[in-house]
Amino acid sequence: MTPRRPVDVGDPDRLYTVTGGRSRAEDDSFDLVTLVVSECDPTPGMQSEHARILRLCRHPTAVVEIAAELGLPVTVVRILLGDLLTTGKITARHPRAADSVASMPETALLKEVLHGLRNL
């Protein structure tokens, strides 16, 4: 079995600088599948990571995709997103909560639909 690499392989000094010394986002409003949409274009003098996020999120983009594209740990991306959300430069769309089991269609109905689709 191959040993696992550490998830956070970024240079600690760089990550410290990118986040302004913060190690946690002020709120936990961003999970991995939260969709982020930029509300404006980057402005001159803006932190480069913030500008990249705004360009990347012209269309709804999940937090995990942003982290992968930037090559930064998700914890760092959450801090950066918090900055942008506070200033109104992005909006966050949280995934809809799953419906309760009682409101889901009955198994028999789903089986009939599946049978009908197979007959097509």
Side-chain angles (χ1 to χ4, degrees):
M1 178 183 238
T2 307
R4 293 183 63 171
R5 290 180 356 154
V7 175
D8 185 0
V9 295
D11 178 24
D13 294 337
R14 177 176 173 268
L15 298 178
Y16 182 86
T17 304
V18 167
T19 62
R22 296 169 291 168
S23 61
R24 298 190 67 173
E26 291 184 22
D27 61 12
D28 291 331
S29 59
F30 296 101
D31 58 15
L32 295 177
V33 294
T34 298
L35 295 176
V36 177
V37 180
S38 51
E39 295 295 326
C40 64
D41 290 325
T43 56
M46 179 179 277
Q47 183 176 337
S48 63
E49 290 80 11
H50 286 149
R52 286 183 65 197
I53 290 171
L54 291 178
R55 283 192 296 274
L56 181 64
C57 295
R58 288 186 175 126
H59 302 286
T61 309
V63 171
V64 69
E65 293 176 83
I66 297 167
E69 186 68 29
L70 296 179
L72 293 172
V74 172
T75 53
V76 171
V77 171
R78 285 180 176 153
I79 293 169
L80 297 172
L81 290 172
D83 296 342
L84 293 170
L85 185 64
T86 300
T87 58
K89 292 183 177 7
I90 62 166
T91 54
R93 298 178 188 170
H94 302 284
R96 192 171 63 111
D99 294 331
S100 67
V101 175
S103 66
M104 291 185 178
E106 301 224 2
T107 306
L109 175 63
L110 293 175
K111 286 182 180 179
E112 286 181 43
V113 170
L114 181 61
H115 180 69
L117 289 172
R118 286 182 178 156
N119 288 335
L120 290 176

